[in-house]
Amino acid sequence: MSTTTVVILGILGFGLLGIIGYFIMIYNGLISLKENIKKSWANIDVILKQRYDEIPKLISVCESYAQFEKGMLDRLLKARENYVRADGVKEKSKASNQISQALRSVFALAENYPDLKANENFMQLQNRISHLEETLADRREFFNDSVNNYNIRIQQIPDVFVAGMLSYRQEEMFEVAEEERRDVKVNIKLPNFD
C-alpha cells in the first residue's frame, strides 16, 4: 500500500468519524430537548395534581355556606373528574382550563357570602389554590419554551435530517382556553356626587 493511499484512507476515516461525531452531537441535543419537554410536563402535572387534591377541601368548606349554589360546585367536581380521565397534553390542558374557569366561579361566589369570605379555612384554601395557579402559569411557560425550542430544532438544517430519521414530530404546546383570552369586563359603580 502506498503512502498516498494510506493518507487518503486516513483522511476518509477521520472524515467519517467527524460525520458520525456530528450526528451523535445532534442526536444528543435532540434527546436532551425531548427529555426537557417530558420533565417540564411532569412539573406541570405535579401542580395539577396538587390543585386536584385541594378541590374537595374547597368544596367542603363552600357547601356549608352555599347549598343553593350546588350547580357551580358540581361543575368544579366535573372538571376535576375530567382532569383524571384526560390523557396527553391537549386533553390535560383542556381539563386544566375547565378547572380554572370553575375555580374563578367559586371564588366569585365568596363575594356573595361574607361569612364564607371571612372563613379562615376558605381563605387558606383560596390562598393555596391561588399560589398553585401562579406556579402552574410559570411552569406552563417553561413547558411551552421547551416545546418551542424542540420544535425549532427539529425543523432546522442539519437537525431536520436526524429528526426525520428518528421520526420526531412537533410537540403540542399547552394552550390557554379561548375564554381566558377574552378581555375582562370591569364594571365599577361609583357613587353619584351631584
Side-chain angles (χ1 to χ4, degrees), residues 59-77:
I59 289 174
S60 177
V61 171
C62 290
E63 279 180 334
S64 61
Y65 287 91
Q67 289 298 322
F68 63 92
E69 302 284 357
K70 185 149 176 43
M72 183 183 308
L73 300 176
D74 288 342
R75 281 193 305 276
L76 183 56
L77 280 174

Side-chain angles (χ1 to χ4, degrees), residues 170-185:
Q170 287 194 1
E171 296 284 338
E172 291 183 41
M173 292 201 183
F174 200 109
E175 294 185 12
V176 176
E178 187 61 38
E179 304 87 49
E180 293 183 36
R181 291 187 187 137
R182 293 187 191 126
D183 192 22
V184 177
K185 293 182 181 175

Side-chain angles (χ1 to χ4, degrees), residues 119-160:
N119 181 291
E120 187 176 330
N121 290 333
F122 180 80
M123 293 303 296
Q124 287 174 346
L125 286 167
Q126 185 178 24
N127 290 336
R128 170 77 177 137
I129 290 174
S130 293
H131 172 71
L132 289 173
E133 292 293 318
E134 290 170 13
T135 305
L136 184 57
D138 289 341
R139 293 200 178 166
R140 284 175 179 162
E141 184 178 344
F142 181 75
F143 174 79
N144 283 344
D145 284 344
S146 298
V147 168
N148 186 54
N149 290 336
Y150 168 80
N151 287 344
I152 289 170
R153 280 279 304 272
I154 66 169
Q155 295 177 71
Q156 292 178 329
I157 294 176
D159 296 16
V160 69

Side-chain angles (χ1 to χ4, degrees), residues 18-167:
I19 291 170
I20 291 171
Y22 191 63
F23 174 83
I24 290 171
M25 187 175 71
I26 291 172
Y27 174 82
N28 288 341
L30 293 175
I31 292 295
S32 177
L33 290 171
K34 197 156 185 69
E35 291 304 311
N36 236 3
I37 291 171
K38 288 180 188 176
K39 175 187 154 211
S40 58
W41 176 251
N43 289 341
I44 288 174
D45 219 19
V46 166
I47 299 300
L48 291 174
K49 174 71 169 102
Q50 289 174 359
R51 182 174 70 173
Y52 172 87
D53 291 341
E54 296 293 330
I55 289 172
K57 297 173 191 170
L58 180 67
I59 289 174
S60 177
V61 171
C62 290
E63 279 180 334
S64 61
Y65 287 91
Q67 289 298 322
F68 63 92
E69 302 284 357
K70 185 149 176 43
M72 183 183 308
L73 300 176
D74 288 342
R75 281 193 305 276
L76 183 56
L77 280 174
K78 179 72 173 155
R80 182 177 181 258
E81 289 172 20
N82 290 343
Y83 167 76
V84 172
R85 283 181 271 165
D87 188 34
V89 174
K90 193 170 196 161
E91 287 183 28
K92 290 262 186 187
S93 176
K94 184 177 178 182
S96 173
N97 289 331
Q98 289 173 346
I99 290 175
S100 294
Q101 196 73 19
L103 284 172
R104 276 195 288 284
S105 298
V106 170
F107 291 146
L109 171 72
E111 298 299 321
N112 296 328
Y113 295 91
D115 291 340
L116 174 60
K117 193 174 176 182
N119 181 291
E120 187 176 330
N121 290 333
F122 180 80
M123 293 303 296
Q124 287 174 346
L125 286 167
Q126 185 178 24
N127 290 336
R128 170 77 177 137
I129 290 174
S130 293
H131 172 71
L132 289 173
E133 292 293 318
E134 290 170 13
T135 305
L136 184 57
D138 289 341
R139 293 200 178 166
R140 284 175 179 162
E141 184 178 344
F142 181 75
F143 174 79
N144 283 344
D145 284 344
S146 298
V147 168
N148 186 54
N149 290 336
Y150 168 80
N151 287 344
I152 289 170
R153 280 279 304 272
I154 66 169
Q155 295 177 71
Q156 292 178 329
I157 294 176
D159 296 16
V160 69
F161 303 117
V162 177
M165 287 188 290
L166 298 171
S167 299

